[in-house]
Amino acid sequence: MVTVLYPADGASIGRYPIASQMTAGTAAGFGEFAPLGNPQLPTAGVDWAATLTHAHVGAPAQAVRRPVVLYSPGGGDPRTLGTYIAEELASRGYVVVAIDHPGDAAAVEFPITTSYRHKLVRTTEFRANPWTQPDVYRTLIAARLADTRFVMDQLELLARGHNPDAAGHPIPRHLPQALDLARVGMYGHSAGGTAAAEAAYDDRRIRAVVNMEGYLDYPPDQRGRPGPLFPVVQHGLDRPMLLLGTDGFRDANIDRSWSAMLAHPGQRTRRRQIDDAMHWVFSDFAAMVPQLQADGLMTAEGRDQMVGAIDPGRSVPAVRSDVLRFFERTLPGE
């Protein structure tokens, strides 16, 4: 499952419905399973299906060739939890393809059932932090890399006029013409950042990458020993990469693997840091969690553990700006 956000034809956009952030099925699964990975979140009192986006479903695209940017969310997160960055990029002239990873994300809602999937909603297989289970973590990243290759292949078919929609829904007008697959980037958060970095190493169709606080080493097989580095770190990347982190989540694994990435000759990788922040500031939790705390549904300590003390009026523009400016330099528009 993917969401594609793109600059729309403003003359007709008002005739198309505003998109919700999550479908009802995804929201129900998210409300049940997201607190397992983030116990700071409330288990009741939130209507996760109520949030609207700034996008309109099915609106015609502007008939202009645009750079394409893929997005992979954090472990356990649905693709829609990266809406605040995706909308910013789309509003600035990019086609953003947000990818769900079924079995990984808290919940994924499909448009149809199949012979091997009898329900529309698939919930996560995770009941513990995959980083503590090396075999599970390897499978998680391998699945995300396979998902990314599949989506890239489908985008090539779409650009040639094929319709990859599983339910046969019509493609928005001019969308195939808007895809410039010679200018493809990828960004991701946490496990999605790891997958984005390694996907760029594996697939030369990806020309620039942003890793938002994803480890670039595997979990150690033996406690007390460092885990092996990903191939992208071992061999380097001959295309631009931004390592975007926080002061609150920074640890020995981040420093070791990111420093090894930065040490490669050629200086194609850069690092930036958001201060007074924590790991989920790179997701829509950056704006949601402070509101939940203000409404008494989370503690101040829980807020700090998820997004840090930084005000969303600072964190959201800062992250948007860092990601946008990187892609403006590496995947310039028309």
Side-chain angles (χ1 to χ4, degrees):
M1 287 299 296
V2 301
T3 296
V4 184
L5 293 94
Y6 49 87
D9 179 358
S12 58
I13 196 171
R15 301 202 299 267
Y16 295 85
I18 296 176
S20 296
Q21 181 185 26
M22 298 185 194
T23 64
T26 300
F30 182 81
E32 179 180 357
F33 288 99
L36 297 181
N38 292 293
Q40 305 91 341
L41 291 172
T43 56
V46 182
D47 181 0
W48 295 104
T51 304
L52 297 177
T53 70
H54 300 90
H56 294 254
V57 179
Q62 295 177 6
V64 177
R65 285 168 63 80
R66 305 284 188 182
V68 177
V69 182
L70 310 182
Y71 168 65
S72 181
D77 292 343
R79 67 191 189 276
T80 52
L81 207 60
T83 296
Y84 91 76
I85 300 175
E87 285 193 337
E88 175 72 7
L89 292 172
S91 73
R92 302 288 186 165
Y94 294 82
V95 176
V96 181
V97 182
I99 305 171
D100 252 336
H101 303 289
D104 178 331
V108 178
E109 184 168 2
F110 296 89
I112 59 173
T113 58
T114 69
S115 60
Y116 55 85
R117 189 186 63 249
H118 304 292
K119 297 180 179 180
L120 291 179
V121 178
R122 182 179 179 186
T123 54
T124 183
E125 301 294 327
F126 299 150
R127 297 297 182 272
N129 182 356
W131 182 257
T132 65
Q133 304 168 289
D135 289 345
V136 173
Y137 188 82
R138 289 175 182 273
T139 300
L140 177 158
I141 298 300
R144 285 169 175 258
L145 295 175
D147 290 345
T148 302
R149 288 192 298 272
F150 175 78
V151 170
M152 279 298 309
D153 293 344
Q154 295 301 304
L155 289 173
E156 290 182 342
L157 292 175
L158 176 60
R160 295 200 295 266
H162 298 273
N163 184 352
D165 190 277
H169 296 139
I171 298 300
R173 188 158 49 93
H174 301 313
L175 181 57
Q177 293 77 27
L179 303 175
D180 185 351
L181 298 183
R183 293 182 291 167
V184 176
M186 186 170 179
Y187 69 106
H189 171 227
S190 196
T194 305
E198 190 62 22
Y201 175 78
D202 291 345
D203 192 334
R204 295 200 64 84
R205 292 176 293 185
I206 301 172
R207 301 173 63 87
V209 61
V210 180
N211 171 6
M212 298 184 294
E213 218 150 52
Y215 290 117
L216 293 178
D217 57 347
Y218 288 100
D221 292 320
Q222 297 182 24
R223 183 174 296 180
R225 295 189 177 183
L229 298 171
F230 275 88
V232 66
V233 182
Q234 295 178 36
H235 305 292
L237 187 69
D238 61 356
R239 278 148 286 151
M241 179 188 295
L242 173 63
L243 302 173
L244 188 55
T246 64
D247 60 338
F249 191 74
R250 187 168 180 171
D251 63 13
N253 292 93
I254 288 282
D255 281 339
R256 170 179 171 260
S257 61
W258 284 20
S259 294
M261 191 72 223
L262 289 162
H264 284 285
Q267 299 182 338
R268 304 306 304 274
T269 300
R270 297 287 186 272
R271 180 174 185 168
R272 287 186 59 81
Q273 180 170 290
I274 308 290
D275 290 332
D276 301 319
M278 265 295 287
H279 192 51
W280 279 271
V281 80
F282 299 115
S283 75
D284 291 345
F285 282 140
M288 291 175 162
V289 162
Q291 294 179 64
L292 295 174
Q293 189 233 328
D295 287 341
L297 294 170
M298 286 182 64
T299 65
E301 180 183 13
R303 168 196 166 141
D304 288 350
Q305 289 173 352
M306 288 195 66
V307 300
I310 190 171
D311 188 272
R314 288 178 50 221
S315 64
V316 170
V319 174
R320 281 174 162 171
S321 176
D322 282 340
V323 175
L324 175 63
R325 284 191 290 184
F326 173 79
F327 285 127
E328 285 178 336
R329 292 194 303 270
T330 58
L331 301 173
E334 299 292 346

